[in-house]
């Protein structure tokens, strides 16, 4: 496998609504879907559909939501490196999506994936060490992420940490990462700096890089695109518009999946950012997370436009 991803699979229960509900309020929604989600699984599906040879390390229960996972991985061509937990249920996420803006708010309960530990990582040490690219997030424990990144580093894989959701991580962990890819709020949590503009993102990227990231910090900025700092040069990648924005949920996962595929083929940073941006731009034109990931043909067509 060229790309090995550690992360969480959950079933996404997504409600469309005119605006976010307030505490104590009941809203009538505009629709509901139940589908595959979880940042690790979404990134694996994105990478596989974008042409990557992808394995996913995760943990699910032996239940209906777990069966949904197998179906989506099979359809996308993701190779499951999966522990099937007889004692725990597959996780789930509740998602609210504003119909007008496509913006979202998420609560995740990782379920079985919350039990991924360093021992489970060690059973996949060979696959991790032999990969060209190893990528993870922070929906499972930080200690599992650390074991994964250390194994990848020892084996010579390029390492990507998408620090989502934001967590309290130390400089030693950041030092195991070639690339770190937070969004605005995650960057604010990691640096204590505001990130509302591209200029602020550059300042924050430099601060995060100084904590030990090896090759580049890439901050995704939603409608403002992305900002990358590699220690000498700042690159602002403007957003691409591939159609009407209907659902931004999973756009960060699409970006990371596309980025991993481009890196695995040896693309330089500037090209990898363009590929990642195109993958994300297409994903927001469809509803769902894993379900919205574009094919390689769609990405190539958008980049050629
Ligand atoms: O990034 C989007 C994902 O975050 C959703 O699929 C949800 O499951 C949460 O993990």
């Amino acid at each position: 496998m060229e790309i090995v991803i550690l992360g969480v699979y959950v079933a996404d229960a997504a409600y469309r609504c005119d605006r976010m509900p307030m505490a104590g309020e009941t809203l009538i929604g505009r629709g509901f879907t139940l589908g595959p989600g979880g940042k690790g699984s979404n990134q694996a599906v994105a990478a596989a559909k974008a042409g990557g040879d992808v394995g996913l390390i995760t943990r699910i229960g032996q239940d209906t939501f777990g069966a949904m996972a197998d179906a989506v991985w099979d359809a996308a061509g993701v190779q499951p490196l999966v522990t099937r937990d007889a004692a725990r249920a597959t996780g789930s996420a509740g998602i609210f999506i504003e119909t007008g803006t496509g913006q979202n708010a998420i609560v995740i309960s990782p379920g079985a994936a919350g039990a991924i530990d360093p021992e489970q990582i060690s059973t996949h040490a060979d696959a991790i060490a032999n990969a060209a690219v190893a990528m993870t997030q922070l929906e499972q424990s930080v200690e599992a992420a650390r074991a994964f990144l250390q194994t990848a580093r020892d084996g010579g894989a390029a390492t990507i940490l998408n620090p989502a959701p934001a967590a309290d991580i130390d400089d030693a962990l950041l030092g195991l990462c070639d690339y770190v890819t937070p969004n605005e709020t995650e960057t604010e949590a990691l640096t204590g700096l505001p990130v509302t503009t591209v200029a602020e993102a550059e300042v924050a990227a430099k601060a995060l890089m100084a904590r030990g990231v090896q090759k580049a910090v890439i901050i995704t900025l939603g409608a403002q695109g992305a900002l990358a700092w590699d220690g000498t040069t700042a690159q602002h990648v403007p957003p691409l518009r591939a159609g009407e924005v209907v659902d931004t949920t999973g756009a960060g996962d699409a970006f990371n999946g596309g980025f991993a595929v481009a890196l695995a083929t040896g693309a330089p940073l500037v090209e990898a950012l363009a590929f990642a941006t195109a993958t994300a731009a297409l994903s927001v034109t469809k509803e769902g997370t894993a379900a919205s990931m574009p094919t390689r043909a769609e990405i190539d067509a958008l980049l050629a436009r």
Side-chain angles (χ1 to χ4, degrees):
M1 275 160 273
E2 307 174 309
I3 301 169
V4 175
I5 296 174
L6 164 67
V8 166
Y9 168 87
V10 294
D12 284 348
Y15 301 81
R16 299 186 77 80
C17 40
D18 291 335
R19 58 173 174 76
M20 295 296 165
M22 295 184 294
E25 183 184 35
T26 301
L27 290 179
I28 303 292
R30 295 282 178 189
F32 171 81
T33 52
L34 180 67
K39 295 183 195 300
S41 178
N42 292 343
Q43 291 175 15
V45 169
K49 289 189 73 177
D53 171 23
V54 184
L56 172 66
I57 300 172
T58 192
R59 193 174 189 113
I60 57 176
Q62 298 178 7
D63 48 26
T64 309
F65 287 174
M68 194 192 292
D70 281 316
V72 72
W73 297 331
D74 193 42
V78 173
Q79 297 164 67
L81 305 171
V82 174
T83 300
R84 295 168 197 280
D85 193 320
R88 297 177 180 86
T90 306
S92 59
I95 305 179
F96 295 116
I97 302 156
E98 273 185 353
T99 47
T101 63
Q103 294 301 316
N104 65 79
I106 303 174
V107 176
I108 172 177
S109 174
I116 299 172
D117 59 10
E119 193 184 334
Q120 184 181 334
I121 303 305
S122 69
T123 64
H124 300 293
D126 286 349
I128 300 165
N130 291 327
V133 174
M135 177 162 70
T136 190
Q137 325 73 31
L138 295 174
E139 287 186 327
Q140 77 291 314
S141 75
V142 171
E143 288 321 306
R146 188 189 307 276
F148 175 80
L149 292 165
Q150 184 70 64
T151 306
R153 168 53 46 90
D154 292 346
T159 53
I160 306 171
L161 173 65
N162 173 224
D168 193 12
I169 51 176
D170 54 48
D171 293 358
L173 186 80
L174 290 169
L176 294 173
C177 305
D178 290 314
Y179 302 93
V180 176
T181 61
N183 67 13
E184 306 96 314
T185 56
E186 291 147 6
T187 307
E188 290 182 358
L190 287 168
T191 65
L193 296 168
V195 182
T196 57
T197 64
V198 174
E200 286 178 347
E202 184 174 334
V203 173
K206 288 174 179 169
L208 194 50
M209 191 85 183
R211 290 185 58 191
V213 179
Q214 301 290 313
K215 291 190 177 157
V217 171
I218 298 150
I219 302 177
T220 54
L221 298 166
Q224 296 185 85
L227 183 285
W229 170 251
D230 65 3
T232 52
T233 309
Q235 290 176 53
H236 174 227
V237 188
L240 263 179
R241 191 162 171 91
E244 190 195 345
V245 176
V246 298
D247 184 358
T248 61
T249 326
D253 299 331
F255 184 96
N256 280 280
F259 185 65
V261 170
L263 275 193
T265 61
L269 182 59
V270 64
E271 281 175 30
L273 291 171
F275 193 86
T277 299
T279 310
L282 286 157
S283 77
V284 301
T285 64
K286 292 185 187 149
E287 280 190 30
T289 54
S292 71
M293 299 308 172
T295 62
R296 178 58 175 259
E298 290 171 319
I299 299 165
D300 286 345
L302 180 59
L303 286 170
R305 211 171 64 183

